[in-house]
Amino acid sequence: MPRFTEQEKEIINRKLLIEGEKLFAAHGLKKVTVDDLVAAVNISKGSFYAFYPSTEHLYVEILKQQLQEESMKIIGT
């Protein structure tokens, strides 16, 4: 299993969220593969699975983040 520093973990996770959002928006959940995601972020499949058990889990995390950001806009903070 890959070993990353806390800073590396934060950077990789942020990249997965950003690139995942782009890929899911362009192609939809069913068409985006782990191979697509790891190529976009330049990590191995094993590294991807150290962060998320599936593309669906990443997708849900992206949705949660978007919901939180929209909620903050609505309540004005």
Side-chain angles (χ1 to χ4, degrees), residues 2-77:
R3 294 180 189 245
F4 299 108
T5 66
E6 289 304 312
Q7 183 180 12
E8 290 171 325
K9 287 179 186 177
E10 289 176 25
I11 291 168
I12 292 167
N13 192 56
R14 189 172 348 111
K15 286 181 179 180
L16 282 168
L17 293 168
I18 291 167
E19 296 303 322
E21 183 176 357
K22 290 177 188 176
L23 288 167
F24 292 131
H27 306 290
L29 173 61
K30 297 292 183 187
K31 298 230 176 168
V32 175
T33 66
V34 172
D35 287 330
D36 297 329
L37 293 161
V38 300
V41 179
N42 197 28
I43 60 173
S44 69
K45 277 187 177 182
S47 295
F48 174 84
Y49 290 114
F51 288 88
Y52 297 98
S54 69
T55 56
E56 290 84 0
H57 283 83
L58 174 60
Y59 184 79
V60 169
E61 190 62 33
I62 291 167
L63 291 179
K64 286 198 283 190
Q65 181 181 333
Q66 289 174 339
L67 181 60
Q68 184 178 20
E69 289 170 2
E70 291 303 313
S71 296
M72 297 303 251
K73 289 178 188 176
I74 291 170
I75 59 175
T77 59

